[in-house]
Amino acid sequence: MTRHFLRDDDITPAEQHEILELATSMKADRWRERPLEGPQTVAVIFDKSSTRTRVSFAVGIADLGGQPLIISTANSQLGGKETPSDTARVLERMVAAIVWRTYGQDGLEEMAKNTTVPVVNALSDDFHPCQLLADLLTIREHKGSLAGLTVAFLGDGGSNMAQSYLLAGATAGMHVRVACPPEFAPAQSVVGDARAIAESTGGSVLVTSEPDEALQGADVVVTDTWVSMGKEAEKAERVATFGRYQVDALAMKKAESDAIFLHCLPADRGFEVAPEVIDGPQSVIWDESENRLHAQKALLVWLLQRA
């Protein structure tokens, strides 16, 4: 059966661990795995602009012996005359996998149901699971392990990053705390799924409106832009609403003294994060950015050869 990666909980705790272990070994020996030798082609589709996703997938596919085919929906039939299911049936005759950075999660699910090749969510409005693999890899590198660590996410609790942290963090056995305004809380269904996972992994889930409650004793502090793509018209309102959730030096002092700071980038410096934090000694954002390459390569190897 073809496996897909559309949400962070599409993989089990054991599978998540396997992929992260594979990423670590492949980072140490960058060209050891060549499942796309031929070269085989991977379609990488973009509805949204991108830097890290585009570069990391293009380079990673090439590292694996393959050929990345970068497709913009502005220059294709997908999203216009053609449905995701029809596009999937066309692409599966020619490519080894499909990677899609898009808006609605429903399009990814439709595509996955109608193809025999793996479909990877490179970002949707609901989840950002490839970024979380990179984040977990980064946390492992700096903290040694994941289970039992406390991670605090401050900002938009309904964002794809917050929701992915709930699912992926619970899968890893972490204690995930999301601090956000009540009107920007994560979807209840996602919180419920994360809590159910945490019951089996020893992790926990907390959603609070109080930043201090999330930060107390945190090993990892995370934020993301307050104004995601498509929300630009709401910037003034969002900045006013999220002001007290900024990660600044005072916020970091409320976490553990050796806490690390992560941000998936791009960052709006001076808004969700203060410059002294993102450029400071606790920031590991450049490791995190590089690890998109290694985590996604491991994911592709796993989907193509080991799932």
Side-chain angles (χ1 to χ4, degrees):
M1 181 182 71
T2 302
R3 293 287 297 274
H4 307 287
F5 192 54
L6 310 183
R7 300 171 36 130
D8 306 81
D9 56 352
D10 281 343
I11 53 177
T12 67
E15 290 169 341
Q16 183 193 75
H17 179 77
E18 181 183 358
I19 292 167
L20 293 173
E21 285 284 302
L22 183 59
T24 297
S25 65
M26 290 176 65
K27 183 174 182 177
D29 186 0
R30 183 166 165 177
W31 291 279
R32 54 170 278 190
E33 301 282 349
R34 304 280 288 179
L36 295 170
E37 200 79 75
Q40 298 181 64
T41 299
V42 175
V44 189
I45 308 170
F46 290 93
D47 292 351
K48 295 184 175 183
S49 59
S50 167
T51 298
R52 277 150 295 278
T53 299
R54 183 182 298 267
V55 174
S56 59
F57 268 111
V59 172
I61 292 162
D63 282 0
L64 297 176
Q67 171 68 44
L69 174 63
I70 307 298
I71 302 171
S72 167
T73 48
N75 298 313
S76 72
Q77 299 295 349
L78 178 60
K81 294 181 179 179
E82 193 161 68
T83 64
S85 57
D86 286 353
T87 298
R89 291 185 177 102
V90 170
L91 291 178
E92 72 179 11
R93 303 293 185 98
M94 308 179 200
V95 304
I98 301 168
V99 177
W100 191 9
R101 180 179 173 94
T102 187
Y103 291 91
Q105 187 76 13
D106 54 347
L108 283 157
E109 292 171 357
E110 180 185 341
M111 181 172 282
K113 288 177 182 176
N114 291 280
T115 187
T116 57
V117 300
V119 176
V120 173
N121 177 2
L123 175 145
S124 70
D125 288 343
D126 293 337
F127 304 104
H128 201 351
C130 289
Q131 180 66 57
L132 259 292
L133 288 178
D135 283 21
L136 294 180
L137 179 60
T138 306
I139 296 166
R140 274 179 33 133
E141 289 176 344
H142 287 269
K143 293 296 183 179
S145 61
L146 298 174
L149 293 178
T150 297
V151 55
F153 180 98
L154 273 62
D156 185 351
S159 67
N160 49 23
M161 281 298 294
Q163 296 197 147
S164 273
Y165 255 100
L166 286 166
L167 295 178
T171 300
M174 302 174 78
H175 304 292
V176 184
R177 303 172 182 170
V178 175
C180 59
E183 64 270 33
F184 289 94
Q188 281 300 311
S189 60
V190 174
V191 175
D193 290 343
R195 285 184 171 145
I197 295 168
E199 287 179 5
S200 67
T201 63
S204 66
V205 169
L206 171 69
V207 178
T208 177
S209 61
E210 297 304 320
D212 289 2
E213 186 177 10
L215 288 165
Q216 187 67 40
D219 303 291
V220 182
V221 179
V222 188
T223 191
D224 191 15
T225 180
W226 293 339
V227 187
S228 299
M229 284 178 281
K231 307 290 186 182
E232 290 81 5
E234 304 172 16
K235 182 168 184 175
E237 177 184 354
R238 283 174 170 260
V239 168
T241 300
F242 288 114
R244 72 189 189 100
Y245 297 91
Q246 184 189 70
V247 180
D248 56 14
L250 180 60
M252 292 300 296
K253 286 181 181 177
K254 294 173 182 175
E256 289 294 306
S257 60
D258 62 348
I260 57 175
F261 172 76
L262 283 82
H263 190 307
C264 67
L265 304 177
D268 204 353
R269 293 164 184 262
F271 289 90
E272 74 271 8
V273 59
E276 66 265 23
V277 172
I278 197 168
D279 296 323
Q282 291 171 281
S283 175
V284 295
I285 61 169
W286 308 121
D287 293 342
E288 178 188 11
S289 182
E290 177 192 344
N291 280 338
R292 286 291 300 275
L293 171 67
H294 309 298
Q296 289 163 184
K297 285 173 63 179
L299 173 66
L300 287 172
V301 170
W302 188 82
L303 287 171
L304 292 168
Q305 294 188 330
R306 307 187 182 190

